[in-house]
Amino acid sequence: MRFSIGCEIGYDVAEAATLIFNIEAMRGGRQRVISEQLTITPNIAADEKTSEESGNRYLRLTAPRGLVQLRYAAEIELDPLHQAPARLDEVPIATLPLDTLPFLNPSRYCPSDQLARFANRQFGNVAPGFGRVVEICNWINAEVDYLFGTSDTTTTAADTFSLRAGVCRDFAHLGITFCRALGIPARFVSCYAWQLEPQDFHAVFEAYLGDRWYLFDPTRMAALDGMVRIGCGRDAADTAFATIYGQVVPQPITVWSEALDGDRNEQWTTDAVSVTRD
């Protein structure tokens, strides 16, 4: 399927500030960037870099005093890989690809060591594999309320576990934390999400099963087939859509993701879905 995605972001800059963005769609794998356009107003020179390790695309600019606006628009083609859940097993740590090992470790927002006892008590007797990650998502969806204003940039998965409330990034962090506690590599993914209402940047996670990464969304608020990946990393610290160095006042953000073909009424799927590199 093809999607039209993008965002408009603005900041009122009090003094010269350095702004780093991660808003452009990732390239490669089963996600193809057909066309894209980035407009910066006023016309400011920007540095661009794609991380060889993650594929995240970073944009850095030094903004003068006044209003700075960015508009990013792209047409994306997704060819998601669907697998039967029963075929997807957890991989013994002894045979995991070495590049997945960092995603077993605790990180800033995903203190898997702190929640390991609960994770093993709650999910340790569930048959390993795709179904166990689904059970993790089911528990989060049932036990954690989706409430705006209940978390901030300092909230960790341990905080969310205690509060039993959060937003998409908190749901993703908790899913990652439980997976890592059980020996399943898991990583944070920021994305443009088809069918998400209201539209915003969305957060989900990927778990490594079988021979690749598969998407999971504990919020169940958007179609897995319509997730256009922006960035991935250990947690939200690696994938922030904007990192600001200086004094600015954020302006309202507009985000969109629209299907250009296919079944526009398609619903969330329980299949195993992957759009990562083969």
Side-chain angles (χ1 to χ4, degrees):
M1 290 181 64
R2 293 193 177 194
F3 298 89
S4 170
I5 59 95
C7 64
E8 293 180 349
I9 303 173
Y11 294 93
D12 189 357
V13 180
E15 298 292 342
T18 298
L19 315 176
I20 302 173
F21 297 97
N22 181 201
I23 59 174
E24 298 170 289
M26 297 177 75
R27 297 178 179 272
R30 308 183 77 89
Q31 175 171 302
R32 185 165 70 94
V33 179
I34 298 171
S35 64
E36 62 182 350
Q37 182 178 29
L38 176 69
T39 305
I40 303 173
T41 306
N43 188 13
I44 302 170
D47 299 322
E48 297 189 64
K49 173 69 176 179
T50 299
S51 168
E52 295 182 5
E53 183 179 64
S54 66
N56 297 356
R57 300 170 64 190
Y58 297 105
L59 178 75
R60 181 181 63 187
L61 56 92
T62 299
R65 184 174 181 177
L67 185 62
V68 176
Q69 296 176 306
L70 283 81
R71 186 181 192 276
Y72 173 72
E75 184 175 332
I76 308 295
E77 183 175 58
L78 293 181
D79 179 27
L81 174 70
H82 289 256
Q83 292 280 25
R87 297 176 55 185
L88 299 180
D89 296 324
E90 295 174 21
V91 182
I93 294 175
T95 57
L96 277 170
L98 292 176
D99 59 1
T100 68
L101 298 184
F103 301 103
L104 287 171
N105 300 328
S107 59
R108 176 179 176 181
Y109 293 114
C110 301
S112 49
D113 50 344
Q114 296 179 26
L115 296 180
R117 186 173 63 177
F118 174 84
N120 280 279
R121 184 171 67 246
Q122 184 70 32
F123 308 110
N125 292 326
V126 178
F130 178 87
R132 179 149 70 165
V133 183
V134 170
E135 283 299 311
I136 289 172
C137 293
N138 289 344
W139 185 93
I140 296 170
N141 190 267
E143 299 295 332
V144 181
D145 295 328
Y146 195 97
L147 292 175
F148 291 104
T150 54
S151 62
D152 57 29
T153 56
T154 67
T155 302
T156 69
D159 297 326
T160 302
F161 179 75
S162 177
L163 292 169
R164 298 298 169 94
V167 293
C168 59
R169 61 174 266 157
D170 305 307
F171 279 52
H173 283 154
L174 195 53
I176 292 167
T177 299
F178 287 154
C179 283
R180 291 178 184 173
L182 296 167
I184 306 169
R187 65 188 185 186
F188 188 92
V189 176
S190 60
C191 60
Y192 294 98
W194 178 46
Q195 296 185 336
L196 181 69
E197 294 294 341
Q199 274 289 310
D200 201 347
F201 293 112
H202 194 44
V204 295
F205 74 93
E206 290 178 324
Y208 192 88
L209 301 166
D211 64 349
R212 69 184 66 234
W213 296 95
Y214 288 90
L215 284 165
F216 294 87
D217 182 6
T219 72
R220 306 284 166 74
M221 294 175 65
L224 289 174
D225 278 350
M227 302 286 183
V228 175
R229 298 163 78 246
I230 302 171
C232 68
R234 294 165 299 174
D235 54 34
D238 293 338
T239 59
F241 74 86
T243 304
I244 310 299
Y245 296 92
Q247 295 184 351
V248 304
V249 177
Q251 304 300 298
I253 297 175
T254 301
V255 178
W256 64 89
S257 178
E258 302 171 355
L260 298 177
D261 57 11
D263 182 0
R264 301 188 184 199
N265 295 315
E266 184 177 348
Q267 299 300 312
W268 181 82
T269 175
T270 56
D271 290 343
V273 176
S274 174
V275 292
T276 57
R277 294 178 176 83
D278 290 347

